[in-house]
Amino acid sequence: MAHGDGKLTQELDPSDHGPRDACGVFGVWAPGEEVSKLTYFALYALQHRGQESAGIAVGNGENLLVYKDMGLVSQVFDESTLNTLVGNVAVGHTRYSTTGASEWQNAQPTLGATPAGTVALGHNGNLTNTEDLLALVRERVGGAVGELRYGNTTDTALITALFGSYAGRTLEEAAAEALAEVKGAFSLVFCDETTLYAARDPQGVRPLVLGRLERGWVVASETAALDIVGASFVREVEPGELVTVDAQGLRSRRFATAEPKGCLFEFVYLARPDTHISGRSVHETRVEIGRRLAKEHPVEADLVIPVPESGTPAAVGYAEASGIPYGMGLVKNSYVGRTFIQPSQTLRQLGIRLKLNPLREIVGGKRLVVVDDSIVRGNTQRALVRMLREAGAAEVHVRISSPPVKWPCFYGIDFASRAELIANGLSAEEICRSIGADSLAYVELDTLIETTTVAKNDLCRACFDGIYPIEPPVAANSALDQPALPGMPARPQGEGCESPDRDALDDAVRLGDPNDGLTTLASSGGAANALRHP
């Protein structure tokens, strides 16, 4: 079976890619159903959240069967493989490594021994206290445990090892105690041989939802995955909640007080448009952002075009509110994804043309409004503007449906260090000149927040305003990046979807700097009626 090598992504050049989320997770408890195939289809729906590796673990009452490998979901699994994964409970994971090459050792779900059996765990997010947790695991059971001893350098493997360090506890009890010690962003799905579990960090940074099947339950990163498997949406897993599903039914317990800080960037880019977050349609939110953007930053133009696909809903809203016709001026190649060759210099010179190509008959001679979701480094927009001008565009006005990205994310999004973020050191006018556009404007932060209908204090906006709801790690390197555990090899900086980019902490982001936002950590009260049993 052919597998993706993880060396050439749809962005073509690994050093110049858009925002990427760490992972997608899914879990199902459904006796009598083909749980591995339900998980496969759900992971297919979550493929946008991770494209480096995929894995499924199935519990059959006596054993856990696990299959994981590098590549896309469709590359990793086939019919014969899925037919061998038979059981009543399953968890699945699709993963992105933040930068550089990914490794099989870091593919998920991770496996670990517990006093009561075995656990398989999938994680979306980043932890911020890995050094403390590693010391705790060493103190209790030593470093050479679980997948840590075999070269897994993710904090997911560390969580799995932590679960196994509570002697005399059931997995449910161990998880509740362990998660109270864990800091950072984590949406978890895990299972043993018989039972499904799901948990979300006290801030609820990364999404996680609960759904109902006719004969079972599911949990997923997004509601779109529920739709794919025919599950009805029940509710979101609450921040600080641990959900357990077994033959006795569904039960819930709280391991921490809820202090909601959902990721604002999910609304902008990460989530599928057919997903709902906090009861709000992501598609409608993005269309409304476009409407607001048109009112805040109007321009005389002949045509509004999106940068497909992420810019499409906002472009529709911009055209609607401005009265400027909407058109498809760029065609996207849907098959650029994973390939089996390295990105040579020749391919890099092709750049964005391999992914997007202009319709010269549409854009030629036109004053264009080009709507995109975000600008990170600016390289893609610079190439895009140049390409549109070469295709004959008279003017190119860029409109962005999010505020300037000025701060790195420590909670599961692969944003660059502050030094690489173009908005960190340049004004909108300077960025406009840098990318060669006739004008550039971003939606205002407060406007973006209003369109989500979520209270400002319940959202993490750190990538936009530098106010981190969970204190970032102070060390420049994670403990898991070092060869500290027996048998653990040194790890390239930044590799692995659960290890955050900490370059910004070297110089540009320092605790104690009154201008960096880190000294004012946002907080809020717990959600009312946080535990609601379906």
Side-chain angles (χ1 to χ4, degrees):
M1 184 190 304
H3 300 291
D5 58 13
K7 295 177 180 175
L8 183 61
T9 68
Q10 65 177 359
E11 284 79 24
L12 195 64
D13 186 348
S15 67
D16 179 29
H17 55 74
R20 301 188 301 192
D21 184 60
C23 306
V25 296
F26 180 81
V28 54
W29 183 89
E33 299 286 353
E34 294 181 288
V35 293
S36 64
K37 293 181 180 179
L38 288 175
T39 305
Y40 171 85
F41 289 120
L43 293 182
Y44 213 97
L46 298 172
Q47 185 73 86
H48 61 289
R49 301 188 75 92
Q51 299 177 16
E52 297 293 348
S53 64
I56 296 175
V58 174
N60 62 14
E62 296 181 357
N63 302 295
L64 274 177
L65 310 173
V66 183
Y67 190 90
K68 54 185 176 179
D69 208 342
M70 309 306 295
L72 304 175
V73 174
S74 60
Q75 295 172 320
V76 171
F77 299 100
D78 57 20
E79 187 82 17
S80 61
T81 302
L82 294 173
N83 285 338
T84 65
L85 300 174
V86 179
N88 297 327
V89 59
V91 296
H93 189 272
T94 182
R95 177 177 184 263
Y96 240 143
S97 60
T98 51
T99 57
S102 56
E103 298 178 346
W104 183 89
Q105 290 91 333
N106 292 337
Q108 298 182 34
T110 59
L111 282 177
T114 73
T118 310
V119 60
L121 184 144
H123 171 208
N124 178 23
N126 283 345
L127 302 190
T128 60
N129 67 332
T130 54
E131 291 187 7
D132 294 338
L133 296 178
L134 182 55
L136 189 60
V137 169
R138 279 177 169 165
E139 177 185 341
R140 291 178 178 172
V141 293
V145 293
E147 292 195 14
L148 292 174
R149 68 187 299 179
Y150 299 117
N152 190 317
T153 54
T154 66
D155 53 5
T156 306
L158 183 56
I159 298 174
T160 308
L162 186 63
F163 284 177
S165 69
Y166 290 84
R169 306 284 204 283
T170 65
L171 179 55
E172 182 178 353
E173 293 168 343
E177 291 191 40
L179 293 176
E181 303 288 338
V182 175
K183 293 186 171 105
F186 55 90
S187 286
L188 307 177
V189 295
F190 52 104
C191 72
D192 56 20
E193 293 80 359
T194 61
T195 307
L196 174 67
Y197 306 88
R200 199 173 176 200
D201 67 78
Q203 287 72 33
V205 177
R206 304 262 68 85
L208 195 63
V209 295
L210 177 68
R212 190 74 163 98
L213 293 169
E214 184 177 350
R215 294 189 293 176
W217 297 87
V218 298
V219 287
S221 291
E222 297 186 27
T223 61
L226 305 186
D227 299 335
I228 291 294
V229 301
S232 58
F233 172 77
V234 175
R235 62 177 176 89
E236 295 189 0
V237 175
E238 295 289 346
E241 179 184 14
L242 171 63
V243 173
T244 304
V245 184
D246 58 16
Q248 281 67 54
L250 182 144
R251 57 187 178 275
S252 171
R253 64 193 296 173
R254 181 162 293 286
F255 62 86
T257 302
E259 299 178 357
K261 296 291 177 186
C263 175
L264 180 56
F265 207 76
E266 291 279 353
F267 286 98
V268 172
Y269 175 82
L270 295 178
R272 281 175 47 145
D274 52 343
T275 281
H276 286 71
I277 300 176
S278 299
R280 172 73 163 164
S281 163
V282 170
H283 174 78
E284 180 53 37
T285 299
R286 292 174 183 169
V287 172
E288 181 60 24
I289 293 170
R291 296 188 188 110
R292 302 287 190 93
L293 189 56
K295 294 176 183 177
E296 290 180 352
H297 302 287
V299 65
E300 291 187 7
D302 304 310
L303 189 68
V304 176
I305 67 171
V307 177
E309 306 287 345
S310 56
T312 301
V316 169
Y318 194 101
E320 177 186 313
S322 66
I324 302 171
Y326 170 89
M328 295 300 295
L330 294 165
V331 175
K332 180 179 181 181
N333 181 356
S334 300
Y335 299 95
V336 169
R338 196 74 42 223
T339 72
F340 304 98
I341 56 177
Q342 296 211 27
S344 67
Q345 183 60 32
T346 301
L347 287 175
R348 288 193 179 98
Q349 289 173 351
L350 289 175
I352 198 172
R353 295 180 184 276
L354 189 61
K355 183 179 178 182
L356 295 170
N357 201 38
L359 291 167
R360 295 176 180 272
E361 297 79 5
I362 300 297
V363 305
K366 298 289 200 314
R367 298 171 296 173
L368 303 177
V369 178
V370 181
V371 181
D372 204 354
D373 59 89
S374 60
I375 298 179
V376 180
R377 295 170 181 84
N379 296 333
T380 297
Q381 285 75 17
R382 188 176 299 112
L384 183 61
V385 170
R386 184 187 309 118
M387 185 171 62
L388 289 170
R389 291 198 188 282
E390 291 173 355
E395 298 176 10
V396 181
H397 302 274
V398 177
R399 296 296 181 266
I400 304 298
S401 60
S402 65
V405 176
K406 297 183 177 181
W407 300 84
C409 177
F410 298 97
Y411 310 135
I413 305 176
D414 178 25
F415 276 141
S417 68
R418 288 201 78 195
E420 296 177 281
L421 296 172
I422 191 171
N424 175 45
L426 300 179
S427 66
E429 292 77 14
E430 291 169 327
I431 297 172
C432 180
R433 289 195 295 270
S434 174
I435 66 176
D438 290 283
S439 71
L440 167 67
Y442 298 83
V443 75
E444 297 295 327
L445 177 57
D446 286 342
T447 300
L448 172 60
I449 292 170
E450 285 178 13
T451 63
T452 70
T453 70
V454 179
K456 182 176 182 178
N457 285 338
D458 289 347
L459 290 167
C460 175
R461 304 103 45 195
C463 58
F464 302 126
D465 63 12
I467 300 175
Y468 290 87
I470 308 167
E471 186 170 354
V474 176
N477 296 294
S478 166
L480 294 174
D481 290 329
Q482 311 302 319
L485 297 177
M488 178 182 289
R491 179 182 182 183
Q493 174 73 15
E495 184 177 312
C497 74
E498 298 77 22
S499 294
D501 176 356
R502 298 175 176 84
D503 293 345
L505 292 177
D506 292 342
D507 297 306
V509 181
R510 296 185 298 275
L511 286 171
D513 183 343
N515 297 316
D516 65 12
L518 296 179
T519 55
T520 310
L521 300 179
S523 62
S524 71
N529 301 318
L531 293 177
R532 297 186 301 277
H533 295 273

